[in-house]
C-alpha cells in the first residue's frame, strides 16, 4: 500500500512538472508568435498562430503517455518485489 502511494506521488510530481514546462513553453511560443503577427514580420498570419497552438497540443499527448507508462512500469516492479518476498516466506503446510 505504501508503495502504491509512493508511485502515485511520484507520478503526480512528474505530471505537474511536465504540465508546468508545457504551460510555460506554450505561453512563450504563443506570445512570440502573436508578437510576430502584430509586427507583420516573416509573413505570419493568424493561421500561423492556430498552427503553432495545434502543433504544441499534439506534442503534449505523448508526454502524458510517458507518465502513464512510467507509472505502470514502476507499479509492476513493486508488484514483482512483493511476489518474490512472498515466495521467500516459509510454507504453512507441507502436504
Amino acid at each position: 500500500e505504501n508503495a502504491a502511494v509512493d508511485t502515485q506521488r511520484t507520478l503526480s510530481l512528474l505530471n505537474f512538472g511536465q504540465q508546468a514546462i508545457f504551460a510555460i513553453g506554450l505561453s512563450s511560443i504563443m506570445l512570440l508568435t502573436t508578437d510576430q503577427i502584430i509586427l507583420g514580420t516573416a509573413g505570419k498570419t493568424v493561421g500561423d498562430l492556430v498552427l503553432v497552438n495545434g502543433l504544441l497540443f499534439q506534442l503534449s499527448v505523448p508526454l502524458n503517455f510517458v507518465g502513464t507508462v512510467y507509472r505502470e512500469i514502476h507499479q509492476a516492479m513493486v508488484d514483482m518485489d512483493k511476489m518474490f518476498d512472498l515466495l521467500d516466506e516459509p510454507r504453512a503446510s507441507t502436504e
Side-chain angles (χ1 to χ4, degrees), residues 55-73:
L55 179 65
L56 288 174
F57 275 111
Q58 289 294 324
L59 290 174
S60 71
V61 174
L63 285 177
N64 289 333
F65 182 69
V66 167
T68 302
V69 169
Y70 169 78
R71 183 190 73 217
E72 292 298 323
I73 289 173

Side-chain angles (χ1 to χ4, degrees), residues 1-71:
E1 184 176 313
N2 288 337
V5 170
D6 287 341
T7 301
Q8 186 61 40
R9 185 179 300 127
T10 304
L11 179 64
S12 297
L13 183 61
L14 176 68
N15 283 340
F16 175 78
Q18 286 178 345
Q19 292 303 319
I21 291 169
F22 179 73
I24 291 168
L26 179 64
S27 298
S28 300
I29 295 296
M30 295 301 285
L31 286 173
L32 288 171
T33 306
T34 303
D35 187 47
Q36 287 183 355
I37 290 171
I38 291 171
L39 295 175
T41 59
K44 299 282 185 192
T45 64
V46 176
D48 292 328
L49 182 69
V50 173
L51 172 80
V52 168
N53 190 19
L55 179 65
L56 288 174
F57 275 111
Q58 289 294 324
L59 290 174
S60 71
V61 174
L63 285 177
N64 289 333
F65 182 69
V66 167
T68 302
V69 169
Y70 169 78
R71 183 190 73 217

